[in-house]
């Protein structure tokens, strides 16, 4: 025999009940079935709402009751034909009884536990009777009142079962039962005086387990709206998946810590009889679900991750506790008498403090009672007044095999630390089936995803990107991410999602990842943006492995990096302004990056996609010392002077460079030498030298008139006006058989940038197009320098350099 239980979500409408009946009919062809059903979806909540309304206004209460009535008669009309008149009469009678109870509440202005139990019971009384009669239309079925079989004490709302009497009632009834299927209401019971009682939260699951244990069923099936117990809450962790098999103890631990598909007491009767429990999905009956049994097949050492929100920590501490017995007893006794449930306990080995977790709505009451209990010790300053911390959550890693693996707790806390999730308290039982931590409620989603990635997605790492600046470079970067998505997943086990994008006007976000086929449309339909509002949204989304990407050349954007780093959000930028700002700011960004374990990468600040900074870091980190740097660091200036001659105009060549995407949006930044000065400054700083931008000598070749312009139109006009000046520069170099190159040099702690005549025997002479070249003279490369050469400008190569930094973060 099997026991099948269907929850409220499975019986919320006629269509869903038809699915339930199909499942029951198929199962009943093999063996006898006991079916336990909950009230129709949300009916219990509505019954309670109506009862509370009856205290104030009986008319409103009856209106609420009418909406409940409509649903039930709708189901009857949809599913019952043969016995419709009798069912109509019985259901009408039950609603009349319920109306009388509401009227009594209104007249007496009293809503006792006894009355509430009666009100609650109608949900299951109605649903079980209707479903049983709908079943009779299709196969051999009968209805039985659970109140006749399950006997409890006199606690009306959370009754304790008298198993001796209950088991006798159940076995006697089913021994005499001739029907293939019996439909019973969950949650409801009665005391020895035949007064209605209820089994409390999760009571329908508990009812099913009581029947399964009494009947020694082959299996207890819990049918719900998810396909089993998942490795984590799939609504919070999209990568979560069903657990195929799990032990009773593991299931109890996960259920205790918030896995809502199963209520912990449910397992107890089945556990005592070693009856297997299977969690199934009513709407995907072909899915295997989760089997809860005594000896599950070995799987991952961690079986699941769960959490409870709305927790408060209650701390009792003080030097007067040390060595004095009885403090723990008084604390727990006070909470027990007040029926305040303790969900978490930890105590310092010094006996200086005891910390317990309670639900947030009990915290104020707990503090008041405990302050009273320990009032004498508090007055004498032997202990402090009770400390309450709220807005917390408990996150638990569960697995029966965890005790056989070293370092799991280290992995857990290391992963949380990398994502800036602060742990307030820790508890681990000696059985090592559960490691629990109290964290900020705000961090719960991030913590769940972090730990799921750590223990269940070891082969695939997820990065969540927030991209600002979607012009030439940004657009190419998004295209490269989109193009390489499958390759990254297949070859690097890396999943990259673009969660947010912004330009100067609008921003768009999607927690599931923006569709990169339609990102422009998403952005156009986005909301207005500011730097602060974008940062606020990124912070509030609180994703694991978050990376802020700056594809702009905007100073204001560069000034917000520190905020991201302090939130443990990595920063990748092609914007040189931050690293070329004051030395103190540069150092601060580096220090904050290390302190908050957030990468700060800016490879594209020098040489676009060339690995210049990365190579320099490797030299310095390995103990080498940089003595001199010579470089052509401006792809735009190299393009300009490679294409400028007596047959072209300087204006046209610069315009062509800008059109190709080689220059900054303001080309004067490149041609004035500011951009190159920033680059050599960054290389000097990365070499270990303290230097400011104003320390770099700049030998300008632009006329003063061009340097003083404040917009592109005026700048280009000045180039046309001063064409003779530029032709003279070209002629002077050409007459010496030299080429013009804008060179940056660093040596002996000093740096300069300027236009130079390069002879044919110099490594810079044959530098073509927009290429860059860097010569590092170090202790290891004193005569023949380490040379890095290649494309140093353009949207594609810059985007690829940003992409490379993202990959570096993934590999960290």
């Amino acid at each position: 025999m099997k026991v099948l239980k269907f929850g409220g979500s499975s019986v919320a409408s006629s269509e869903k009940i038809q699915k339930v009946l199909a499942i029951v009919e198929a199962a009943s062809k093999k063996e006898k079935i006991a079916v336990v059903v909950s009230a129709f979806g949300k009916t219990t909540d509505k019954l309670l709402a109506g009862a509370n309304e009856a205290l104030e206004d009986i008319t409103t209460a009856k209106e609420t009751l009418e909406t409940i009535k409509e649903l039930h008669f709708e189901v009857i009309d949809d599913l019952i034909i043969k016995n419709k008149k009798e069912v109509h009469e019985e259901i009408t009678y039950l609603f009349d009884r319920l109306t009388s109870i509401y009227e009594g509440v209104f007249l007496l202005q009293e809503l006792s536990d006894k009355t509430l139990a009666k009100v609650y019971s109608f949900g299951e009384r109605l649903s079980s009777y209707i479903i049983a009669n709908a079943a009779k239309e299709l196969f051999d079925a009968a209805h039985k009142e659970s109140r006749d079989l399950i006997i409890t004490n006199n606690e009306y709302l959370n009754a304790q079962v008298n198993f001796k009497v209950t088991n006798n009632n159940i076995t006697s009834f089913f021994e005499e039962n001739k029907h293939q299927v019996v439909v019973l209401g969950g949650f409801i019971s009665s005391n020895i005086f035949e007064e209605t009682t209820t089994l409390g939260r999760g009571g329908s699951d508990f009812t099913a387990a009581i029947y399964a244990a009494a009947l020694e069923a082959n299996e207890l099936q819990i049918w719900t709206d998810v396909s089993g117990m998942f490795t984590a809450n799939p609504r919070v962790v999209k990568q979560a998946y069903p657990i195929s098999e799990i032990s009773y103890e593991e299931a109890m631990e996960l259920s205790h810590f918030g896995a809502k598909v199963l209520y912990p007491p449910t397992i107890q009767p089945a556990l005592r009889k070693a009856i297997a429990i299977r969690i199934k999905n009513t709407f995907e009956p072909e899915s295997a679900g989760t089997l809860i049994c005594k000896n599950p097949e070995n799987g991952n050492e961690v079986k699941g991750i769960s959490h409870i929100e709305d927790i408060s920590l209650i701390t009792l501490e003080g030097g007067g506790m040390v060595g004095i017995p009885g403090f723990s007893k008084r604390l727990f006794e006070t909470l027990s008498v007040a029926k305040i449930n303790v969900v978490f306990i930890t105590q310092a080995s010094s006996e200086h403090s005891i910390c317990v977790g309670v639900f947030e709505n009990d915290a104020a009451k707990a503090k008041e009672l405990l302050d009273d209990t320990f009032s004498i010790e508090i007055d004498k300053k032997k202990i402090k007044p009770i400390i309450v911390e709220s807005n917390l959550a408990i996150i638990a890693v569960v697995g029966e095999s965890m005790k056989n693996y070293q370092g799991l707790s280290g992995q857990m806390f290391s992963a949380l630390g990398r994502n800036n999730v602060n742990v307030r308290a820790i508890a681990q039982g000696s059985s090592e089936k559960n490691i629990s931590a109290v964290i900020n409620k705000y961090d719960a989603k991030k913590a769940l995803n972090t730990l799921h990635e750590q223990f269940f997605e070891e082969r695939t790492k997820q990065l969540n990107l927030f991209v600002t600046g979607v012009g030439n470079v940004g657009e190419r970067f998004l295209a490269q991410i989109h193009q390489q998505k499958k390759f990254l997943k297949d070859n690097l086990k890396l999943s990259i999602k673009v969660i947010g994008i912004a330009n100067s006007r609008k921003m768009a976000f999607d927690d599931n990842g923006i569709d990169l086929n339609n990102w422009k449309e998403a952005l156009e339909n986005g909301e207005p943006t500011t730097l602060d509002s974008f940062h606020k949204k990124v912070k509030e989304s609180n994703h694991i492995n978050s990376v802020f990407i700056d594809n702009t050349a905007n100073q204001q954007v560069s000034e917000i990096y520190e905020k991201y780093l302090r939130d443990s959000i990595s920063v990748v930028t092609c914007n040189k302004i931050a690293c070329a700002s004051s030395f103190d700011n540069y150092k601060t960004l580096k220090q904050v990056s290390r302190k908050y374990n957030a990468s700060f990468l800016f490879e594209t600040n020098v040489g676009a996609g060339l690995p210049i900074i990365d190579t320099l870091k490797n030299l310095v980190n390995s103990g080498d010392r940089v003595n001199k740097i010579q470089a052509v660091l401006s792809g735009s200036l190299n393009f300009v002077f490679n294409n400028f001659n007596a047959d072209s105009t300087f204006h046209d060549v610069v315009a062509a460079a800008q059109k190709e995407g080689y220059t900054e949006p303001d080309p004067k930044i490149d041609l004035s030498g500011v951009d190159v000065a920033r680059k050599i400054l960054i290389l000097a700083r990365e070499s270990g030298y303290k230097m400011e931008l104003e320390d770099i000598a700049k030998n300008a070749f632009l006329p003063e008139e061009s340097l003083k312009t404040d917009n592109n139109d005026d700048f280009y006009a000045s180039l046309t006006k001063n064409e003779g000046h530029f032709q003279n520069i070209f002629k002077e170099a050409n007459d010496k058989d030299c080429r013009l190159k804008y060179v940056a040099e660093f040596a002996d702690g000093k740096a300069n940038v300027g236009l130079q005549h390069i002879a044919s025997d110099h490594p810079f002479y044959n530098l073509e197009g927009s290429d860059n070249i860097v010569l590092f003279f170090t202790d290891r490369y004193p005569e023949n320098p380490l040379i890095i050469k290649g494309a140093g400008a353009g949207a594609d190569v810059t985007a690829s350099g940003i992409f490379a930094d993202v990959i570096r973060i993934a590999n960290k």
Side-chain angles (χ1 to χ4, degrees):
M1 186 173 190
K2 281 190 174 71
V3 176
L4 279 61
K5 180 265 175 178
F6 294 90
S9 60
S10 297
V11 293
S13 66
S14 300
E15 294 79 10
K16 291 178 179 179
I17 293 170
Q18 285 177 321
K19 294 181 184 293
V20 168
L21 294 175
I23 291 166
V24 173
E25 183 176 20
S28 68
K29 291 177 180 178
K30 300 175 184 177
E31 56 194 316
K32 284 191 172 184
I33 301 295
V35 177
V36 177
V37 296
S38 296
F40 292 172
K42 305 299 181 183
T43 295
T44 303
D45 291 340
K46 290 178 180 177
L47 288 169
L48 174 60
N52 286 319
E53 287 165 354
L55 288 168
E56 302 291 333
D57 182 358
I58 189 61
T59 302
T60 304
K62 287 181 177 180
E63 288 173 356
T64 299
L65 195 58
E66 194 61 33
T67 64
I68 302 171
K69 192 174 181 179
E70 286 174 7
L71 170 62
H72 286 75
F73 278 102
E74 182 183 306
V75 173
I76 294 170
D77 292 340
D78 288 344
L79 301 182
I80 299 173
I81 299 173
K82 299 175 186 175
N83 204 24
K84 184 174 289 189
K85 183 174 182 295
E86 181 183 331
V87 175
H88 259 281
E89 289 174 352
E90 177 64 19
I91 298 304
T92 299
Y93 167 73
L94 289 175
F95 273 108
D96 288 344
R97 288 285 308 279
L98 190 51
T99 301
S100 296
I101 293 172
Y102 278 8
E103 288 172 343
V105 170
F106 177 70
L107 291 171
L108 296 173
Q109 287 295 290
E110 182 179 82
L111 186 56
S112 65
D113 287 355
K114 182 177 179 178
T115 303
L116 263 180
K118 287 181 181 178
V119 171
Y120 281 144
S121 71
F122 278 86
E124 275 72 15
R125 290 171 68 185
L126 291 162
S127 66
S128 61
Y129 183 78
I130 293 171
I131 291 170
N133 278 276
K136 290 177 186 178
E137 304 265 326
L138 304 172
F139 46 85
D140 179 26
H143 175 252
K144 180 62 178 175
E145 268 273 13
S146 284
R147 294 183 303 161
D148 296 339
L149 302 178
I150 299 177
I151 307 303
T152 70
N153 65 2
N154 296 328
E155 288 283 337
Y156 294 104
L157 297 182
N158 193 18
Q160 302 300 304
V161 176
N162 184 328
F163 280 100
K164 184 177 181 181
V165 176
T166 297
N167 289 343
N168 285 335
N169 289 346
I170 293 170
T171 53
S172 297
F173 170 77
F174 278 93
E175 282 172 1
E176 296 175 6
N177 169 61
K178 304 301 181 185
H179 297 282
Q180 195 68 8
V181 175
V182 178
V183 180
L184 310 111
F187 178 61
I188 56 177
S189 50
S190 64
N191 61 23
I192 59 173
F193 304 110
E194 299 184 357
E195 296 172 324
T196 298
T197 59
T198 62
L199 300 178
R201 190 167 65 91
S204 291
D205 285 355
F206 192 21
T207 302
I210 291 168
Y211 284 120
L215 298 170
E216 297 188 352
N218 302 327
E219 187 173 273
L220 167 59
Q221 294 182 356
I222 307 291
W223 290 80
T224 181
D225 56 359
V226 293
S227 299
M229 297 188 81
F230 278 63
T231 49
N233 185 339
R235 294 180 180 88
V236 179
V237 181
K238 302 301 181 186
Q239 292 76 30
Y241 55 85
I243 305 166
S244 58
E245 292 189 17
I246 190 171
S247 73
Y248 296 113
E249 291 80 4
E250 290 169 328
M252 287 181 69
E253 292 280 4
L254 285 174
S255 299
H256 176 72
F257 283 97
K260 292 181 173 56
V261 295
L262 199 64
Y263 184 57
T266 300
I267 304 171
Q268 290 292 354
L271 187 151
R272 285 195 292 269
K273 294 290 185 71
I275 295 169
I277 302 172
R278 192 177 292 276
I279 312 295
K280 297 274 286 179
N281 190 340
T282 305
F283 312 110
E284 294 180 13
E286 68 284 353
S287 296
T290 297
L291 179 65
I292 304 171
C293 57
K294 187 174 182 180
N295 297 305
E297 288 186 7
N298 289 331
N300 198 344
E301 60 271 15
V302 174
K303 282 293 179 70
I305 304 161
S306 197
H307 80 298
I308 312 172
E309 292 189 356
D310 301 317
I311 294 294
S312 290
L313 276 185
I314 307 289
T315 302
L316 175 68
E317 70 176 17
M321 294 171 57
V322 179
I324 307 298
F327 276 92
S328 298
K329 174 183 178 296
R330 292 163 64 193
L331 185 150
F332 293 113
E333 190 171 63
T334 300
L335 297 177
S336 175
V337 169
K339 296 183 180 179
I340 295 174
N341 188 34
V342 174
V343 294
F344 179 94
I345 305 168
T346 185
Q347 181 173 11
S349 58
S350 65
E351 302 179 49
H352 183 265
S353 67
I354 305 171
C355 187
V356 298
V358 302
F359 289 106
E360 208 161 83
N361 53 11
D362 289 327
K365 181 180 177 183
K367 175 175 171 55
E368 182 182 350
L369 292 170
L370 292 171
D371 276 337
D372 183 59
T373 297
F374 297 103
S375 60
I376 295 174
E377 288 87 351
I378 293 171
D379 288 342
K380 292 181 177 180
K381 302 194 183 305
K382 289 185 176 182
I383 63 172
K384 298 177 182 178
I386 299 300
I387 300 167
V388 178
E389 298 172 79
S390 297
N391 295 316
L392 302 174
I394 299 174
I395 191 161
V397 173
V398 173
E400 198 160 359
S401 299
M402 283 165 40
K403 60 189 174 186
N404 300 321
Y405 292 84
Q406 284 75 39
L408 281 177
S409 58
Q411 291 181 49
M412 174 180 176
F413 296 115
S414 176
L416 293 175
R418 284 197 303 272
N419 280 277
N420 201 32
V421 177
N422 186 38
V423 175
R424 292 288 302 106
I426 302 167
Q428 180 174 7
S430 58
S431 65
E432 297 184 46
K433 292 185 180 74
N434 174 341
I435 306 171
S436 304
V438 179
I439 62 174
N440 192 309
K441 185 170 103 174
Y442 168 78
D443 287 326
K445 178 183 175 182
K446 182 196 282 188
L448 283 169
N449 280 274
T450 295
L451 295 177
H452 196 272
E453 181 182 87
Q454 178 68 36
F455 293 116
F456 297 102
E457 306 165 46
E458 293 173 299
R459 297 182 60 198
T460 303
K461 184 170 185 176
Q462 183 175 319
L463 287 188
N464 297 294
L465 308 187
F466 300 88
V467 181
T468 187
V470 287
N472 285 341
V473 173
E475 184 172 357
R476 294 310 306 146
F477 172 69
L478 293 175
Q480 290 174 14
I481 291 284
H482 186 47
Q483 175 189 317
Q484 291 299 102
K485 186 173 183 178
K486 186 175 186 304
F487 176 88
L488 294 174
K489 199 154 193 177
D490 292 345
N491 294 275
L492 300 185
K493 306 304 176 188
L494 176 61
S495 173
I496 295 181
K497 290 182 179 179
V498 177
I499 305 296
I501 53 175
N503 57 21
S504 60
R505 298 179 298 105
K506 291 188 175 182
M507 63 182 180
F509 286 81
D510 187 335
D511 281 340
N512 296 319
I514 292 170
D515 181 357
L516 294 183
N517 286 310
N518 302 302
W519 67 264
K520 290 184 180 179
E521 181 181 345
L523 185 58
E524 189 59 36
N525 294 324
E527 58 187 288
T529 187
T530 64
L531 291 175
D532 287 335
S533 63
F534 189 75
H535 169 256
K536 183 179 178 183
K537 281 284 256 185
V538 175
K539 185 178 178 181
E540 286 175 350
S541 69
N542 208 21
H543 282 279
I544 65 168
N545 303 325
S546 293
V547 184
F548 172 68
I549 312 286
D550 177 14
N551 295 316
T552 76
N554 186 289
Q555 179 162 339
Q556 290 177 310
V557 177
S558 74
E559 290 170 353
I560 205 168
Y561 294 169
E562 187 177 341
K563 285 186 177 181
Y564 284 100
L565 295 172
R566 287 187 181 279
D567 292 327
S568 291
I569 297 168
S570 294
V571 173
V572 171
T573 179
C574 60
N575 186 344
K576 292 173 278 292
I577 295 175
C579 289
S581 61
S582 72
F583 184 80
D584 287 344
N585 185 58
Y586 163 82
K587 292 297 289 183
T588 295
L589 292 176
K590 290 273 195 169
Q591 290 164 358
V592 170
S593 167
R594 287 191 292 271
K595 180 177 179 179
Y596 292 94
N597 198 35
S599 296
F600 176 43
L601 299 181
F602 42 89
E603 181 64 68
T604 50
N605 277 196
V606 182
L610 294 176
I612 294 172
I613 292 176
D614 193 53
T615 301
L616 177 54
K617 284 181 178 178
N618 290 334
L619 287 173
V620 174
N621 291 340
S622 66
D624 203 357
R625 183 176 59 180
V626 175
N627 299 313
K628 184 169 72 171
I629 302 172
Q630 289 182 316
V632 174
L633 295 173
S634 174
S636 54
L637 284 171
N638 201 42
F639 176 90
V640 166
F641 286 110
N642 279 337
N643 288 278
F644 177 56
N645 54 49
D647 299 324
S648 61
T649 69
F650 197 71
H651 169 283
D652 290 348
V653 175
V654 173
Q658 185 172 24
K659 184 179 179 180
E660 292 292 328
Y662 293 144
T663 73
E664 299 286 352
D666 177 3
K668 187 173 67 175
I669 294 174
D670 296 281
L671 272 68
S672 67
V674 171
D675 188 61
V676 176
R678 287 173 176 160
K679 291 176 181 180
I680 194 65
L681 173 66
I682 292 168
L683 291 183
R685 286 175 171 179
E686 289 295 298
S687 300
Y689 293 88
K690 182 177 180 179
M691 183 174 285
E692 301 290 356
L693 187 60
E694 53 268 26
D695 296 332
I696 299 171
K698 304 176 193 69
N699 302 313
F701 68 88
L702 286 177
E704 191 69 20
E705 180 182 356
S706 299
L707 289 171
K708 288 182 177 179
T709 58
D710 56 12
N711 60 71
N712 282 3
D713 288 341
D714 289 348
F715 177 72
Y716 277 110
S718 76
L719 298 187
T720 301
K721 182 178 179 182
N722 290 279
E723 179 64 25
H725 167 75
F726 299 115
Q727 289 294 339
N728 287 335
I729 291 174
F730 170 75
K731 185 176 184 305
E732 185 180 351
N734 194 51
D735 288 346
K736 297 178 181 177
D737 292 327
C738 291
R739 287 187 171 181
L740 290 168
K741 302 292 178 185
Y742 200 87
V743 177
E745 293 182 314
F746 170 78
D748 300 323
K750 296 180 180 180
N752 65 83
V753 297
L755 201 59
Q756 294 186 14
H757 296 164
I758 302 299
S760 59
D761 59 349
H762 195 282
F764 293 171
Y765 185 82
N766 292 312
L767 196 65
E768 300 296 334
S770 62
D771 284 0
N772 281 190
I773 187 171
V774 179
L775 280 58
F776 288 118
F777 294 86
T778 72
D779 288 351
R780 293 175 191 157
Y781 299 91
E783 302 297 333
N784 297 311
L786 175 62
I787 300 175
I788 301 171
K789 178 182 175 184
D796 273 315
V797 292
T798 303
S800 70
I802 295 167
F803 201 160
D805 273 345
V806 170
I807 301 298
R808 287 185 183 96
I809 290 174
N811 292 332
K812 183 178 176 183

